[in-house]
Each structure stands twice: as structure tokens, then as C-alpha cells.
Amino acid sequence: MAEITAGMVKELREKTDAPMMECKKALSEADGDMAKAEEILRVKLGSKASKAASRVTAEGIVSIHVEGGHAAMVEVNCETDFVAKNDDFLAFSGDVARLVCAGGAADVASLSTASLPGGTVDSVRTALVGKIGENISVRRFLRLAAKGKLFSYIHGGAKIGVLVDLVGGDEQLGRDLAMHIAASKPKSLDASGVDAALIETERRIATEKAAESGKPAEIVAKMVEGTVQKFLKEVTLLGQVFVKAEDGKQTIEQLLKSKGASIASFTLYIVGEGLEKRTDDFAAEVAAQVAAARAA
């Protein structure tokens, strides 16, 4: 049996917002497996245990540059939010976004050797690290060639970035869609783009919960399918209810149809998504410095 530490319980609570004791029980049942414990809590507590889907866990910004029929979106990471507001850091991020928009880089590795004023992306980055005193990295980027018209949106101090390629419609629709995506964070345009493993997880959780109802198998099957379809509507852009819908019911798909428009593609970046945030223990750092000074 794996040892369940207070840190593990705290981490699971932060991910799920579930009570401490429930987190400890779930971790014990899952033998310390964090992902399995989260799934157990979702079976027991439902949607209360799913708030961490888009948790931001690192610092930095999203930078967007649109020019002509092309657009670029870049995530540049740093260690602290203080540096994410630094003028030199912001300038570097903007320069990289403009470079990506101009084309030529296939991936982060090739982008690092591309030219910027003053050197390559990597040499300029390295010089900036030396000047600021914090690690900086270009994590990911996207270059988009428009099929329609490109709309962008930056939110939350540049922590969230959205690019939308809209065919038809008008300026207001494009802006509204970009803001909706930032607020609702869809995983894909429609059900075909949702990860099959994610759907299977939702189906498994729904099956376990429905089985607890004691209803006949055919009813359970319908309950499960209904839950999965509800999930797909919540995580797909076309299935989501438009955040500005006056009746609170109009979906994005219905909105687009009413405007004679369609979405060729969209991309959402959330700074630090999936990364582990640096945690500083100030007391331990001071103690280490004192010990080092004494040793010297």
C-alpha cells in the first residue's frame, strides 16, 4: 500500500475541491495513483471534482500577431508572474510571434535557430535569461493561414489566447466567438475532435454512477449515453450554449447558422496548461543560504 502523504491529499483537494477526508479515502483506494483518485472522486461527487481541467500551472504569456491572411500564436514561459510583466520579456514574446507569423519554422527546435534582431531566437533568449535572472522558454507556437477571416483575443493578462478562422459572418460575430472560446474553453469544434480516451473515461464514470441507481440495464444504458452526449455538448464549441445568448439556450452551432457562417478552425492556448508550477519554500531557501555561508 502506497504511503498517502499530506501533500498528496492537498494536491488532490486543489485539483478537485473535494473534502480532505474524501481525498484521503480516494487516494487510499487508488493506492496513491492521483489520476485514479480523481476519477474515484468524480464517481462519488460528480462535477464537483472536475474543476482542474484547465488549471494554469506555470507563468508566462500568450502572444498573438495577425498580418494579412496569416496569424501566429506563441506561448512563452518564465518562472514567475513578475517576469511575465517585464517589458523586455513582453518585447521578446512579441518579436517571436511576428517571426512565426512570417513563416519558416516547423517546430520549436527550428524556431530557436531563426533570426531575430541581435541574433537567433535562442541567443536572444539566453541573453534575456542572463539579464533577468530567470529561465525563459518558448513552449509552443501555431501559424495559421486563413480560409476565412482571422480573429484573435487575449484575456487575463495574456494568460489565455484564442485564434478563430471564421468563414462568413461579420466582425461582431468573430469577436464574440473568440471571447466565448476564452470563457468556455472548448476542447474541439465538434465531437469528432474529442480524444477517444477522454470520452471513454466519461463513459466509464457515467456507467459506474448509473449502476448505483439499481435501474434495469436498458435504462442504465440510456442514462450513460445521455450523460456522454451532455458531456460532448459541454466540451465541443458547436454544442456549447453561446455565453451571450439572450435566451440562455442558443448554441454556437445555431448562432453560426443564423449568421450564415462557419468556423474553419480555432485554437486556444492557456499559459502553463499541463505544466507543473514552481513552488518556492522561502524558509528552506534562507536556511540553505545560511548553511552554505557557514560552510564557506
Side-chain angles (χ1 to χ4, degrees):
M1 174 69 70
E3 180 186 0
I4 308 304
T5 66
M8 293 167 67
V9 175
K10 180 176 180 291
E11 182 182 348
L12 185 59
R13 174 170 168 74
E14 289 175 349
K15 284 184 174 183
T16 65
D17 208 26
M20 283 287 191
M21 287 307 298
E22 291 295 334
C23 291
K24 187 173 182 179
K25 289 177 183 177
L27 281 164
S28 297
E29 186 177 338
D31 197 25
D33 186 317
M34 191 65 65
K36 180 62 177 175
E38 187 174 347
E39 188 172 312
I40 289 170
L41 285 175
R42 290 194 58 198
V43 171
K44 291 181 178 178
L45 305 177
S47 60
K48 291 181 181 179
S50 61
K51 77 169 191 176
S54 299
R55 183 181 297 280
V56 175
T57 56
E59 304 301 341
I61 66 166
V62 176
S63 186
I64 295 176
H65 183 74
V66 180
E67 188 171 337
H70 292 86
M73 183 158 62
V74 179
E75 178 183 346
V76 183
N77 293 134
C78 55
E79 295 180 51
T80 65
D81 188 53
F82 178 77
V83 167
K85 298 172 183 175
N86 177 278
D87 288 342
D88 291 334
F89 178 81
L90 295 173
F92 171 71
S93 302
D95 287 344
V96 174
R98 283 187 286 275
L99 179 62
V100 170
C101 189
D107 51 31
V108 172
S110 60
L111 177 63
S112 67
T113 62
S115 297
L116 280 179
T120 65
V121 169
D122 196 54
S123 68
V124 173
R125 180 196 66 81
T126 302
L128 191 57
V129 169
K131 180 179 180 180
I132 293 177
E134 233 183 67
N135 192 25
I136 295 168
S137 63
V138 179
R139 183 190 181 195
R140 54 180 172 169
F141 68 85
L142 168 82
R143 183 176 187 268
L144 188 62
K147 293 183 179 179
K149 185 170 182 180
L150 294 167
F151 294 88
S152 64
Y153 180 64
I154 291 287
H155 180 74
K159 300 299 184 186
I160 298 174
V162 177
L163 275 177
V164 183
D165 187 357
L166 179 66
V167 179
D170 53 27
E171 294 285 330
Q172 186 62 53
L173 178 61
R175 288 194 296 269
D176 283 346
L177 288 169
M179 292 178 68
H180 171 96
I181 292 166
S184 299
K185 301 176 179 61
K187 296 184 180 297
S188 66
L189 183 61
D190 55 32
S192 67
V194 180
D195 187 343
L198 187 60
I199 296 175
E200 183 55 35
T201 297
E202 293 299 319
R203 190 180 301 280
R204 183 170 62 252
I205 292 170
T207 300
E208 291 182 31
K209 292 186 69 174
E212 294 174 356
S213 69
K215 297 183 183 296
E218 62 272 16
I219 300 298
V220 167
K222 290 181 180 179
M223 290 171 64
V224 170
E225 189 57 31
T227 299
V228 171
Q229 291 305 313
K230 180 182 177 183
F231 164 75
L232 289 174
K233 287 181 180 179
E234 290 173 348
V235 301
T236 57
L237 179 56
L238 295 182
Q240 289 179 340
V241 174
F242 179 38
V243 292
K244 292 174 67 176
E246 294 182 0
D247 62 358
K249 297 179 180 179
Q250 186 185 39
T251 65
I252 294 296
E253 185 172 25
Q254 291 169 339
L255 172 65
L256 289 166
K257 186 175 181 180
S258 71
K259 301 290 186 179
S262 64
I263 296 174
S265 67
F266 79 88
T267 303
L268 167 69
Y269 275 5
I270 301 173
V271 169
E273 188 173 27
L275 294 178
E276 193 171 328
K277 190 172 184 178
R278 167 182 166 179
T279 301
D280 291 323
D281 186 336
F282 183 69
E285 184 178 340
V286 171
Q289 290 176 354
V290 169
R294 285 174 178 172

